[in-house]
PDB file of all heavy atoms in Angstrom:
ATOM      1  N   ASN A  28       3.688  -2.161 -15.409  1.00 98.00           N
ATOM      2  CA  ASN A  28       2.695  -1.415 -16.183  1.00 98.00           C
ATOM      3  C   ASN A  28       2.156  -0.164 -15.507  1.00 98.00           C
ATOM      4  O   ASN A  28       1.495   0.641 -16.156  1.00 98.00           O
ATOM      5  CB  ASN A  28       1.515  -2.326 -16.521  1.00 98.00           C
ATOM      6  CG  ASN A  28       1.855  -3.368 -17.565  1.00 98.00           C
ATOM      7  OD1 ASN A  28       1.871  -3.082 -18.753  1.00 98.00           O
ATOM      8  ND2 ASN A  28       2.157  -4.583 -17.109  1.00 98.00           N
ATOM      9  N   MET A  29       2.414   0.008 -14.215  1.00 98.00           N
ATOM     10  CA  MET A  29       1.909   1.182 -13.501  1.00 98.00           C
ATOM     11  C   MET A  29       3.053   2.100 -13.066  1.00 98.00           C
ATOM     12  O   MET A  29       4.152   1.638 -12.750  1.00 98.00           O
ATOM     13  CB  MET A  29       1.083   0.776 -12.282  1.00 98.00           C
ATOM     14  CG  MET A  29      -0.275   0.196 -12.626  1.00 98.00           C
ATOM     15  SD  MET A  29      -1.315   0.056 -11.148  1.00 98.00           S
ATOM     16  CE  MET A  29      -1.489   1.796 -10.698  1.00 98.00           C
ATOM     17  N   THR A  30       2.772   3.393 -13.050  1.00 98.00           N
ATOM     18  CA  THR A  30       3.801   4.363 -12.683  1.00 98.00           C
ATOM     19  C   THR A  30       3.332   5.373 -11.645  1.00 98.00           C
ATOM     20  O   THR A  30       4.143   6.156 -11.141  1.00 98.00           O
ATOM     21  CB  THR A  30       4.267   5.157 -13.915  1.00 98.00           C
ATOM     22  OG1 THR A  30       3.151   5.889 -14.460  1.00 98.00           O
ATOM     23  CG2 THR A  30       4.825   4.238 -14.987  1.00 98.00           C
ATOM     24  N   ALA A  31       2.045   5.404 -11.313  1.00 98.00           N
ATOM     25  CA  ALA A  31       1.527   6.447 -10.420  1.00 98.00           C
ATOM     26  C   ALA A  31       0.696   5.826  -9.305  1.00 98.00           C
ATOM     27  O   ALA A  31      -0.465   5.469  -9.512  1.00 98.00           O
ATOM     28  CB  ALA A  31       0.695   7.464 -11.209  1.00 98.00           C
ATOM     29  N   TYR A  32       1.298   5.707  -8.124  1.00 98.00           N
ATOM     30  CA  TYR A  32       0.601   5.150  -6.964  1.00 98.00           C
ATOM     31  C   TYR A  32       1.432   5.484  -5.732  1.00 98.00           C
ATOM     32  O   TYR A  32       2.647   5.683  -5.797  1.00 98.00           O
ATOM     33  CB  TYR A  32       0.437   3.631  -7.082  1.00 98.00           C
ATOM     34  CG  TYR A  32       1.705   2.892  -7.447  1.00 98.00           C
ATOM     35  CD1 TYR A  32       2.624   2.516  -6.461  1.00 98.00           C
ATOM     36  CD2 TYR A  32       2.000   2.588  -8.777  1.00 98.00           C
ATOM     37  CE1 TYR A  32       3.794   1.863  -6.805  1.00 98.00           C
ATOM     38  CE2 TYR A  32       3.168   1.929  -9.120  1.00 98.00           C
ATOM     39  CZ  TYR A  32       4.058   1.576  -8.134  1.00 98.00           C
ATOM     40  OH  TYR A  32       5.227   0.929  -8.467  1.00 98.00           O
ATOM     41  N   GLY A  33       0.747   5.535  -4.587  1.00 97.00           N
ATOM     42  CA  GLY A  33       1.473   5.740  -3.342  1.00 97.00           C
ATOM     43  C   GLY A  33       2.156   4.465  -2.896  1.00 97.00           C
ATOM     44  O   GLY A  33       3.331   4.455  -2.546  1.00 97.00           O
ATOM     45  N   ALA A  34       1.407   3.353  -2.911  1.00 97.00           N
ATOM     46  CA  ALA A  34       1.963   2.048  -2.571  1.00 97.00           C
ATOM     47  C   ALA A  34       1.151   0.972  -3.266  1.00 97.00           C
ATOM     48  O   ALA A  34      -0.070   1.082  -3.393  1.00 97.00           O
ATOM     49  CB  ALA A  34       1.945   1.820  -1.054  1.00 97.00           C
ATOM     50  N   LEU A  35       1.843  -0.074  -3.713  1.00 98.00           N
ATOM     51  CA  LEU A  35       1.193  -1.218  -4.355  1.00 98.00           C
ATOM     52  C   LEU A  35       1.099  -2.382  -3.371  1.00 98.00           C
ATOM     53  O   LEU A  35       2.031  -2.631  -2.600  1.00 98.00           O
ATOM     54  CB  LEU A  35       2.005  -1.688  -5.566  1.00 98.00           C
ATOM     55  CG  LEU A  35       1.833  -0.975  -6.892  1.00 98.00           C
ATOM     56  CD1 LEU A  35       2.732  -1.635  -7.937  1.00 98.00           C
ATOM     57  CD2 LEU A  35       0.391  -0.995  -7.367  1.00 98.00           C
ATOM     58  N   PHE A  36      -0.018  -3.102  -3.441  1.00 98.00           N
ATOM     59  CA  PHE A  36      -0.243  -4.291  -2.617  1.00 98.00           C
ATOM     60  C   PHE A  36      -0.591  -5.420  -3.587  1.00 98.00           C
ATOM     61  O   PHE A  36      -1.665  -5.426  -4.187  1.00 98.00           O
ATOM     62  CB  PHE A  36      -1.359  -4.034  -1.612  1.00 98.00           C
ATOM     63  CG  PHE A  36      -1.040  -2.883  -0.688  1.00 98.00           C
ATOM     64  CD1 PHE A  36      -1.262  -1.569  -1.082  1.00 98.00           C
ATOM     65  CD2 PHE A  36      -0.479  -3.117   0.556  1.00 98.00           C
ATOM     66  CE1 PHE A  36      -0.935  -0.502  -0.254  1.00 98.00           C
ATOM     67  CE2 PHE A  36      -0.159  -2.058   1.397  1.00 98.00           C
ATOM     68  CZ  PHE A  36      -0.384  -0.750   0.991  1.00 98.00           C
ATOM     69  N   LEU A  37       0.333  -6.353  -3.729  1.00 98.00           N
ATOM     70  CA  LEU A  37       0.265  -7.326  -4.813  1.00 98.00           C
ATOM     71  C   LEU A  37      -0.319  -8.655  -4.356  1.00 98.00           C
ATOM     72  O   LEU A  37       0.254  -9.330  -3.488  1.00 98.00           O
ATOM     73  CB  LEU A  37       1.661  -7.548  -5.401  1.00 98.00           C
ATOM     74  CG  LEU A  37       2.377  -6.289  -5.908  1.00 98.00           C
ATOM     75  CD1 LEU A  37       3.797  -6.620  -6.352  1.00 98.00           C
ATOM     76  CD2 LEU A  37       1.596  -5.642  -7.050  1.00 98.00           C
ATOM     77  N   GLY A  38      -1.444  -9.029  -4.929  1.00 97.00           N
ATOM     78  CA  GLY A  38      -2.040 -10.326  -4.676  1.00 97.00           C
ATOM     79  C   GLY A  38      -2.988 -10.354  -3.500  1.00 97.00           C
ATOM     80  O   GLY A  38      -2.956  -9.486  -2.619  1.00 97.00           O
ATOM     81  N   GLU A  39      -3.837 -11.369  -3.473  1.00 96.00           N
ATOM     82  CA  GLU A  39      -4.884 -11.447  -2.456  1.00 96.00           C
ATOM     83  C   GLU A  39      -4.357 -11.854  -1.077  1.00 96.00           C
ATOM     84  O   GLU A  39      -5.089 -11.775  -0.089  1.00 96.00           O
ATOM     85  CB  GLU A  39      -5.995 -12.389  -2.921  1.00 96.00           C
ATOM     86  CG  GLU A  39      -6.767 -11.827  -4.101  1.00 96.00           C
ATOM     87  CD  GLU A  39      -8.016 -12.626  -4.454  1.00 96.00           C
ATOM     88  OE1 GLU A  39      -8.264 -13.650  -3.796  1.00 96.00           O
ATOM     89  OE2 GLU A  39      -8.743 -12.212  -5.378  1.00 96.00           O
ATOM     90  N   ASN A  40      -3.095 -12.260  -0.989  1.00 96.00           N
ATOM     91  CA  ASN A  40      -2.502 -12.510   0.322  1.00 96.00           C
ATOM     92  C   ASN A  40      -2.062 -11.213   1.007  1.00 96.00           C
ATOM     93  O   ASN A  40      -1.666 -11.232   2.175  1.00 96.00           O
ATOM     94  CB  ASN A  40      -1.285 -13.430   0.198  1.00 96.00           C
ATOM     95  CG  ASN A  40      -1.666 -14.843  -0.189  1.00 96.00           C
ATOM     96  OD1 ASN A  40      -2.773 -15.288   0.085  1.00 96.00           O
ATOM     97  ND2 ASN A  40      -0.753 -15.553  -0.836  1.00 96.00           N
ATOM     98  N   THR A  41      -2.104 -10.122   0.272  1.00 95.00           N
ATOM     99  CA  THR A  41      -1.650  -8.820   0.761  1.00 95.00           C
ATOM    100  C   THR A  41      -2.852  -7.898   0.873  1.00 95.00           C
ATOM    101  O   THR A  41      -3.804  -8.021   0.116  1.00 95.00           O
ATOM    102  CB  THR A  41      -0.641  -8.212  -0.227  1.00 95.00           C
ATOM    103  OG1 THR A  41       0.270  -9.221  -0.668  1.00 95.00           O
ATOM    104  CG2 THR A  41       0.128  -7.067   0.402  1.00 95.00           C
ATOM    105  N   CYS A  42      -2.813  -6.958   1.805  1.00 95.00           N
ATOM    106  CA  CYS A  42      -3.907  -5.985   1.879  1.00 95.00           C
ATOM    107  C   CYS A  42      -3.388  -4.646   2.398  1.00 95.00           C
ATOM    108  O   CYS A  42      -2.331  -4.567   3.029  1.00 95.00           O
ATOM    109  CB  CYS A  42      -5.049  -6.497   2.767  1.00 95.00           C
ATOM    110  SG  CYS A  42      -4.619  -6.713   4.497  1.00 95.00           S
ATOM    111  N   VAL A  43      -4.153  -3.598   2.124  1.00 95.00           N
ATOM    112  CA  VAL A  43      -3.771  -2.255   2.539  1.00 95.00           C
ATOM    113  C   VAL A  43      -3.660  -2.169   4.055  1.00 95.00           C
ATOM    114  O   VAL A  43      -2.792  -1.472   4.597  1.00 95.00           O
ATOM    115  CB  VAL A  43      -4.776  -1.212   2.005  1.00 95.00           C
ATOM    116  CG1 VAL A  43      -4.477   0.167   2.580  1.00 95.00           C
ATOM    117  CG2 VAL A  43      -4.730  -1.160   0.482  1.00 95.00           C
ATOM    118  N   SER A  44      -4.515  -2.884   4.768  1.00 95.00           N
ATOM    119  CA  SER A  44      -4.467  -2.848   6.227  1.00 95.00           C
ATOM    120  C   SER A  44      -3.111  -3.308   6.763  1.00 95.00           C
ATOM    121  O   SER A  44      -2.649  -2.821   7.798  1.00 95.00           O
ATOM    122  CB  SER A  44      -5.576  -3.725   6.810  1.00 95.00           C
ATOM    123  OG  SER A  44      -6.850  -3.212   6.480  1.00 95.00           O
ATOM    124  N   TYR A  45      -2.439  -4.245   6.058  1.00 95.00           N
ATOM    125  CA  TYR A  45      -1.093  -4.629   6.456  1.00 95.00           C
ATOM    126  C   TYR A  45      -0.165  -3.420   6.390  1.00 95.00           C
ATOM    127  O   TYR A  45       0.656  -3.192   7.281  1.00 95.00           O
ATOM    128  CB  TYR A  45      -0.549  -5.735   5.550  1.00 95.00           C
ATOM    129  CG  TYR A  45      -1.151  -7.100   5.733  1.00 95.00           C
ATOM    130  CD1 TYR A  45      -0.784  -8.153   4.904  1.00 95.00           C
ATOM    131  CD2 TYR A  45      -2.071  -7.364   6.745  1.00 95.00           C
ATOM    132  CE1 TYR A  45      -1.318  -9.425   5.060  1.00 95.00           C
ATOM    133  CE2 TYR A  45      -2.620  -8.623   6.910  1.00 95.00           C
ATOM    134  CZ  TYR A  45      -2.245  -9.648   6.066  1.00 95.00           C
ATOM    135  OH  TYR A  45      -2.776 -10.904   6.234  1.00 95.00           O
ATOM    136  N   GLY A  46      -0.271  -2.677   5.281  1.00 95.00           N
ATOM    137  CA  GLY A  46       0.558  -1.489   5.129  1.00 95.00           C
ATOM    138  C   GLY A  46       0.222  -0.413   6.143  1.00 95.00           C
ATOM    139  O   GLY A  46       1.096   0.299   6.639  1.00 95.00           O
ATOM    140  N   ASP A  47      -1.058  -0.293   6.463  1.00 94.00           N
ATOM    141  CA  ASP A  47      -1.489   0.691   7.460  1.00 94.00           C
ATOM    142  C   ASP A  47      -0.909   0.406   8.834  1.00 94.00           C
ATOM    143  O   ASP A  47      -0.635   1.333   9.606  1.00 94.00           O
ATOM    144  CB  ASP A  47      -3.020   0.695   7.575  1.00 94.00           C
ATOM    145  CG  ASP A  47      -3.694   1.440   6.447  1.00 94.00           C
ATOM    146  OD1 ASP A  47      -3.007   2.165   5.706  1.00 94.00           O
ATOM    147  OD2 ASP A  47      -4.928   1.301   6.309  1.00 94.00           O
ATOM    148  N   LYS A  48      -0.786  -0.868   9.167  1.00 94.00           N
ATOM    149  CA  LYS A  48      -0.539  -1.223  10.559  1.00 94.00           C
ATOM    150  C   LYS A  48       0.752  -1.978  10.841  1.00 94.00           C
ATOM    151  O   LYS A  48       1.439  -1.679  11.807  1.00 94.00           O
ATOM    152  CB  LYS A  48      -1.703  -2.086  11.094  1.00 94.00           C
ATOM    153  CG  LYS A  48      -3.105  -1.512  10.855  1.00 94.00           C
ATOM    154  CD  LYS A  48      -3.319  -0.195  11.562  1.00 94.00           C
ATOM    155  CE  LYS A  48      -4.734   0.349  11.311  1.00 94.00           C
ATOM    156  NZ  LYS A  48      -4.883   1.711  11.867  1.00 94.00           N
ATOM    157  N   VAL A  49       1.081  -3.015  10.044  1.00 95.00           N
ATOM    158  CA  VAL A  49       2.010  -4.004  10.579  1.00 95.00           C
ATOM    159  C   VAL A  49       3.170  -4.449   9.685  1.00 95.00           C
ATOM    160  O   VAL A  49       4.169  -4.960  10.201  1.00 95.00           O
ATOM    161  CB  VAL A  49       1.228  -5.285  10.987  1.00 95.00           C
ATOM    162  CG1 VAL A  49       0.216  -4.977  12.068  1.00 95.00           C
ATOM    163  CG2 VAL A  49       0.537  -5.948   9.790  1.00 95.00           C
ATOM    164  N   ILE A  50       3.078  -4.298   8.378  1.00 95.00           N
ATOM    165  CA  ILE A  50       4.008  -5.029   7.520  1.00 95.00           C
ATOM    166  C   ILE A  50       5.402  -4.419   7.465  1.00 95.00           C
ATOM    167  O   ILE A  50       6.390  -5.109   7.222  1.00 95.00           O
ATOM    168  CB  ILE A  50       3.416  -5.197   6.109  1.00 95.00           C
ATOM    169  CG1 ILE A  50       4.021  -6.407   5.399  1.00 95.00           C
ATOM    170  CG2 ILE A  50       3.600  -3.917   5.276  1.00 95.00           C
ATOM    171  CD1 ILE A  50       3.303  -6.806   4.124  1.00 95.00           C
ATOM    172  N   GLY A  51       5.490  -3.081   7.678  1.00 96.00           N
ATOM    173  CA  GLY A  51       6.810  -2.456   7.730  1.00 96.00           C
ATOM    174  C   GLY A  51       7.030  -1.309   6.776  1.00 96.00           C
ATOM    175  O   GLY A  51       7.914  -0.479   6.995  1.00 96.00           O
ATOM    176  N   THR A  52       6.277  -1.251   5.677  1.00 96.00           N
ATOM    177  CA  THR A  52       6.354  -0.090   4.798  1.00 96.00           C
ATOM    178  C   THR A  52       5.578   1.065   5.431  1.00 96.00           C
ATOM    179  O   THR A  52       4.761   0.873   6.322  1.00 96.00           O
ATOM    180  CB  THR A  52       5.773  -0.408   3.417  1.00 96.00           C
ATOM    181  OG1 THR A  52       4.481  -1.019   3.586  1.00 96.00           O
ATOM    182  CG2 THR A  52       6.679  -1.352   2.644  1.00 96.00           C
ATOM    183  N   ASN A  53       5.823   2.275   4.954  1.00 95.00           N
ATOM    184  CA  ASN A  53       5.255   3.447   5.607  1.00 95.00           C
ATOM    185  C   ASN A  53       3.843   3.725   5.121  1.00 95.00           C
ATOM    186  O   ASN A  53       3.559   3.621   3.922  1.00 95.00           O
ATOM    187  CB  ASN A  53       6.139   4.675   5.358  1.00 95.00           C
ATOM    188  CG  ASN A  53       6.023   5.679   6.472  1.00 95.00           C
ATOM    189  OD1 ASN A  53       4.987   6.314   6.647  1.00 95.00           O
ATOM    190  ND2 ASN A  53       7.081   5.833   7.241  1.00 95.00           N
ATOM    191  N   HIS A  54       2.958   4.122   6.049  1.00 95.00           N
ATOM    192  CA  HIS A  54       1.564   4.375   5.662  1.00 95.00           C
ATOM    193  C   HIS A  54       1.266   5.854   5.418  1.00 95.00           C
ATOM    194  O   HIS A  54       0.130   6.204   5.117  1.00 95.00           O
ATOM    195  CB  HIS A  54       0.601   3.769   6.684  1.00 95.00           C
ATOM    196  CG  HIS A  54       0.450   4.540   7.974  1.00 95.00           C
ATOM    197  ND1 HIS A  54      -0.182   4.000   9.069  1.00 95.00           N
ATOM    198  CD2 HIS A  54       0.806   5.788   8.351  1.00 95.00           C
ATOM    199  CE1 HIS A  54      -0.204   4.886  10.059  1.00 95.00           C
ATOM    200  NE2 HIS A  54       0.390   5.977   9.637  1.00 95.00           N
ATOM    201  N   VAL A  55       2.268   6.707   5.537  1.00 95.00           N
ATOM    202  CA  VAL A  55       2.064   8.128   5.204  1.00 95.00           C
ATOM    203  C   VAL A  55       2.363   8.282   3.718  1.00 95.00           C
ATOM    204  O   VAL A  55       3.525   8.275   3.300  1.00 95.00           O
ATOM    205  CB  VAL A  55       2.963   9.039   6.048  1.00 95.00           C
ATOM    206  CG1 VAL A  55       2.703  10.506   5.713  1.00 95.00           C
ATOM    207  CG2 VAL A  55       2.736   8.778   7.534  1.00 95.00           C
ATOM    208  N   LEU A  56       1.291   8.400   2.911  1.00 96.00           N
ATOM    209  CA  LEU A  56       1.411   8.283   1.459  1.00 96.00           C
ATOM    210  C   LEU A  56       0.703   9.435   0.743  1.00 96.00           C
ATOM    211  O   LEU A  56      -0.189  10.068   1.306  1.00 96.00           O
ATOM    212  CB  LEU A  56       0.797   6.946   1.011  1.00 96.00           C
ATOM    213  CG  LEU A  56       1.471   5.690   1.556  1.00 96.00           C
ATOM    214  CD1 LEU A  56       0.589   4.468   1.323  1.00 96.00           C
ATOM    215  CD2 LEU A  56       2.836   5.492   0.907  1.00 96.00           C
ATOM    216  N   PRO A  57       1.081   9.694  -0.515  1.00 95.00           N
ATOM    217  CA  PRO A  57       0.467  10.798  -1.260  1.00 95.00           C
ATOM    218  C   PRO A  57      -0.975  10.498  -1.657  1.00 95.00           C
ATOM    219  O   PRO A  57      -1.321   9.367  -2.011  1.00 95.00           O
ATOM    220  CB  PRO A  57       1.355  10.929  -2.497  1.00 95.00           C
ATOM    221  CG  PRO A  57       1.963   9.570  -2.673  1.00 95.00           C
ATOM    222  CD  PRO A  57       2.152   9.032  -1.279  1.00 95.00           C
ATOM    223  N   THR A  58      -1.822  11.523  -1.583  1.00 95.00           N
ATOM    224  CA  THR A  58      -3.222  11.424  -1.977  1.00 95.00           C
ATOM    225  C   THR A  58      -3.512  12.504  -3.015  1.00 95.00           C
ATOM    226  O   THR A  58      -2.647  13.291  -3.383  1.00 95.00           O
ATOM    227  CB  THR A  58      -4.154  11.613  -0.766  1.00 95.00           C
ATOM    228  OG1 THR A  58      -3.917  12.917  -0.197  1.00 95.00           O
ATOM    229  CG2 THR A  58      -3.888  10.559   0.298  1.00 95.00           C
ATOM    230  N   ARG A  59      -4.760  12.526  -3.501  1.00 94.00           N
ATOM    231  CA  ARG A  59      -5.205  13.553  -4.456  1.00 94.00           C
ATOM    232  C   ARG A  59      -4.280  13.668  -5.661  1.00 94.00           C
ATOM    233  O   ARG A  59      -3.905  14.735  -6.088  1.00 94.00           O
ATOM    234  CB  ARG A  59      -5.347  14.904  -3.741  1.00 94.00           C
ATOM    235  CG  ARG A  59      -6.461  14.903  -2.694  1.00 94.00           C
ATOM    236  CD  ARG A  59      -6.529  16.204  -1.934  1.00 94.00           C
ATOM    237  NE  ARG A  59      -7.705  16.216  -1.048  1.00 94.00           N
ATOM    238  CZ  ARG A  59      -7.907  17.128  -0.092  1.00 94.00           C
ATOM    239  NH1 ARG A  59      -7.019  18.081   0.114  1.00 94.00           N
ATOM    240  NH2 ARG A  59      -8.992  17.075   0.649  1.00 94.00           N
TER     241      ARG A  59
END
């Protein structure tokens, strides 16, 4: 249902901090 986002974090077991630091996807993402 979504088409515009830098990165999706699905469910309460996941958080943005994982993406920022440790999970493996890249944290350099589009803003504005």
Side-chain angles (χ1 to χ4, degrees):
N28 288 280
M29 287 192 64
T30 62
Y32 49 85
L35 277 181
F36 300 83
L37 304 175
E39 292 189 358
N40 291 334
T41 317
C42 65
V43 173
S44 295
Y45 288 176
D47 282 347
K48 309 297 180 187
V49 299
I50 204 168
T52 50
N53 208 291
H54 77 192
V55 182
L56 298 166
T58 60
R59 294 176 174 168

